[in-house]
Amino acid sequence: QVQLVESGGGLVQAGGSLRLSCAASGSIFNINAMGWYRQAPGKQRESVAIVTRGGSTSYADSVKGRFTISRDNAKNTVYLQMTTLKPEDTAVYYCYANKFYGPDYWGQGTQVTVSS
């Protein structure tokens, strides 16, 4: 089993910044991709940013140029640096990880609220 614990969420004004962190523990071997999804009330969960074990990244169009994902493989931690936040970024952000030939793992979620 892999446990994912997020931190860094909170309330911020539009234009501000937050950095989310997600630490993986447990059976961390064979972790491939890690990243972040988000879900706003009444909306479906969507991918925000993903980074593979080798360092390839992908971003949702809505956050390109504003968010940066990074990963520390030695610490089994993934980060999401969010800048120029907008009210539409308000959501619960979930850490994600998968394994080669294995299941997906999800964190408990952390609330990000951006006020106008």
Side-chain angles (χ1 to χ4, degrees), residues 20-31:
L20 305 182
S21 299
C22 174
S25 62
S27 299
I28 59 176
F29 54 88
N30 288 339
I31 289 178

Side-chain angles (χ1 to χ4, degrees), residues 56-114:
S56 297
T57 59
S58 62
Y59 296 90
D61 288 342
S62 59
V63 307
K64 286 180 179 177
R66 300 189 297 119
F67 292 9
T68 302
I69 190 169
S70 60
R71 179 175 178 174
D72 186 335
N73 289 328
K75 295 183 177 181
N76 300 300
T77 301
V78 64
Y79 306 92
L80 186 68
Q81 179 66 52
M82 305 184 293
T83 63
T84 58
L85 282 160
K86 303 175 181 179
E88 51 262 45
D89 295 318
T90 296
V92 177
Y93 284 70
Y94 295 92
C95 185
Y96 164 85
N98 68 18
K99 290 187 175 184
F100 296 108
Y101 308 108
D104 297 340
Y105 299 93
W106 297 92
Q108 81 285 354
T110 185
Q111 178 71 47
V112 172
T113 302
V114 184

